[in-house]
Amino acid sequence: MDVVTDSLLVGLQERSYSIVFGQNLLTNVGEYLADIKFPKNIALVTNLTVLDLYGQTVLTSLETAGFTCSVITVPEGEEYKNLATLELIYDQLIEGNFDRGSGLIALGGGVVGDMAGYAAATFLRGIPFVQIPTTILSQVDSSVGGKTAVNHRLGKNLIGAFYQPRLVLIDIDTLKTLDRREVRAGIAEIVKYGIISDAEFFAWLENNVSELLELEPEALLHAVKRSCQIKSDIVEIDEREGSVRALLNYGHTFGHAIESLCGYGEWRHGEAVACGMVVASRIAHNLGLADEGSTARISTLLRNFQLPVDAPDFALHQFVTAMRRDKKVREGSLTLVLNQGIGSAKLYPVSNIEDTFHSALPDLES
Ligand SMILES: NC(=O)c1ccc[n+]([C@@H]2O[C@H](COP(=O)([O-])OP(=O)(O)OC[C@H]3O[C@@H](n4cnc5c(N)ncnc54)[C@H](O)[C@@H]3O)[C@@H](O)[C@H]2O)c1
């Protein structure tokens, strides 16, 4: 039986929008878009894998509801989330005579969503867009909150804009075709929400590991919805990351260092974040913000989700150099997100980056 369709509102004044959750939603995309009076002329941005799996369902629904839709495919993979691919999107929008009265749909994971979102933000100074995320990570994180970006050769997400979608449609059925490793990587971001903001949700995750790994619909829907609610609450307070939105970067400073040292693809983003969260919780423990029990619970839960918790084999100075290049370093001081036990987190500037990370990773060669 299908779980009930549900929704929540991201309240951002004139930029407010709904996130709709459920099963079998893709067959009704056209109706949802008609409800929000979305433009009739649409460019659907996706990649060939997702197009093959879900393109026909979405296109049929849109056509039945009276929309005209052209497909723009982008190459698959983080290494193509760049200005060159963005230009291919602009080329097709211009050649296809899309104008200010047109709309754009992002159908796919975070790579498609970030890139299509940035194209929508910038084409003709902004056209309306809708997110239809199809990975766990994109459903609980990247499709919500309006961060759009492409990578530059010198760093991740360096060229981007805050640009909110008009609607986010989350069909958890799409996760059935997702690679198992992508499922686990997405779950890392779900665990993050429990650690930074909701101890009860963290405890619920501890009791629902196999249900989530097996994509049991009710459990999955609860986890995705609770994650989006937490993200939405934070974005409503701080849309442009002037303060509390930075808490969502928990585990990401060390995680980004892993990704940048290992290169694209070897570690999935969520895997790197999992390891980064364990490091962050050890630092929190060393600084007296979290007890040993919290750190042990975090590490055990991530292990139970079959996520990596041990740092890859690099020297401490290599991690530190990578972290210094991160956007979060200002005037030599690095602002870390540290958990206070489980269920709350705070921003914590550290000036001695080496010592702070050495205390959490004593086995690493310096
Ligand atoms: N904007 C934000 O706030 C934000 C937040 C977190 C992450 N991100 C970005 O998100 C990106 C990572 O996103 P991701 O983890 O979704 O990776 P991804 O977009 O690369 O998708 C992972 C893989 O799954 C495939 N795929 C997608 N949906 C599928 C489905 N339903 N069935 C089968 N295969 C499917 C994709 O083609 C791809 O090969 C990164 O670029 C990261 O920077 C952005």
Side-chain angles (χ1 to χ4, degrees):
M1 205 185 74
D2 284 2
V3 291
V4 183
T5 302
D6 205 349
S7 71
L8 70 85
L9 184 78
V10 185
L12 293 167
Q13 297 90 32
E14 70 283 2
R15 295 178 308 292
S16 299
Y17 53 96
S18 295
I19 309 174
V20 180
F21 309 85
Q23 288 185 274
N24 200 23
L25 288 187
L26 291 190
T27 50
N28 298 317
V29 169
E31 288 165 37
Y32 286 108
L33 264 59
D35 280 351
I36 60 162
K37 302 195 171 24
F38 199 67
K40 288 288 175 201
N41 190 29
I42 296 175
L44 176 81
V45 180
T46 186
N47 67 26
L48 285 177
T49 300
V50 180
L51 182 68
D52 242 26
L53 289 164
Y54 303 110
Q56 202 48 56
T57 309
V58 172
L59 290 171
T60 303
S61 169
L62 288 170
E63 277 155 24
T64 309
F67 292 92
T68 308
C69 191
S70 311
V71 175
I72 298 178
T73 55
V74 292
E76 181 162 345
E78 181 74 34
E79 62 272 42
Y80 295 104
K81 196 178 104 172
N82 57 26
L83 287 169
T85 310
L86 194 65
E87 195 154 356
L88 294 177
I89 301 177
Y90 294 140
D91 287 349
Q92 291 180 69
L93 289 171
I94 295 164
E95 283 160 16
N97 295 317
F98 285 90
D99 58 25
R100 285 234 172 85
S102 310
L104 191 148
I105 297 177
L107 174 70
V111 167
V112 164
D114 275 14
M115 204 154 38
Y118 187 63
T122 47
F123 180 65
L124 302 176
R125 301 195 179 87
I127 59 171
F129 93 111
V130 163
Q131 289 272 19
I132 309 183
T134 61
T135 61
I136 295 196
L137 181 129
S138 57
Q139 295 189 349
V140 302
D141 194 354
S142 61
S143 67
V144 174
K147 274 194 185 177
T148 70
V150 294
N151 301 328
H152 185 272
R153 72 189 151 73
L154 295 178
K156 253 184 86 120
N157 297 329
L158 292 184
I159 299 152
F162 287 98
Y163 192 65
Q164 302 294 343
R166 296 288 166 96
L167 176 71
V168 181
L169 276 181
I170 298 184
D171 185 340
I172 58 162
D173 282 347
T174 58
L175 304 177
K176 288 179 193 158
T177 53
L178 201 58
D179 186 89
R180 302 302 303 165
R181 189 170 169 195
E182 300 292 349
V183 168
R184 295 193 293 271
I187 288 175
E189 298 281 358
I190 295 178
V191 172
K192 176 190 79 179
Y193 291 112
I195 302 171
I196 64 167
S197 146
D198 187 343
E200 207 178 298
F201 181 49
F202 187 91
W204 179 89
L205 290 170
E206 291 178 311
N207 291 321
N208 284 274
V209 169
S210 56
E211 288 82 348
L212 286 177
L213 286 175
E214 283 157 25
L215 302 178
E216 196 275 299
E218 261 176 54
L220 198 53
L221 200 74
H222 175 69
V224 171
K225 193 175 171 206
R226 185 69 198 122
S227 301
C228 287
Q229 180 77 65
I230 292 170
K231 178 150 187 186
S232 157
D233 289 347
I234 291 174
V235 168
E236 283 178 358
I237 299 169
D238 177 27
E239 185 181 359
R240 298 175 74 92
E241 202 167 306
S243 58
V244 286
R245 186 164 180 168
L247 297 177
L248 295 168
N249 297 328
Y250 180 69
H252 283 58
T253 301
F254 195 74
H256 281 161
I258 295 177
E259 285 180 283
S260 103
L261 288 173
C262 293
Y264 292 124
E266 198 176 322
W267 282 61
R268 298 297 305 148
H269 176 69
E271 293 169 343
V273 168
C275 180
M277 293 193 290
V278 172
V279 172
S281 71
R282 285 200 205 125
I283 294 174
H285 171 55
N286 292 340
L287 292 169
L289 297 171
D291 59 10
E292 209 166 344
S294 305
T295 306
R297 278 176 74 194
I298 290 168
S299 156
T300 303
L301 182 58
L302 292 168
R303 274 183 213 276
N304 288 345
F305 280 124
Q306 298 156 38
L307 284 159
V309 295
D310 295 318
D313 203 10
F314 290 96
L316 184 65
H317 76 268
Q318 292 175 289
F319 285 113
V320 171
T321 305
M323 287 187 285
R324 281 193 196 283
R325 277 199 300 263
D326 203 287
K327 296 192 284 279
K328 293 176 255 340
V329 176
R330 286 204 188 128
E331 289 157 15
S333 149
L334 175 65
T335 300
L336 294 177
V337 185
L338 298 178
N339 52 304
Q340 300 172 290
I342 287 174
S344 122
K346 67 186 263 187
L347 298 176
Y348 198 102
V350 292
S351 45
N352 198 331
I353 305 174
E354 278 85 357
D355 286 355
T356 306
F357 280 86
H358 181 61
S359 69
L361 294 154
D363 297 337
L364 287 193
E365 188 192 309
S366 44

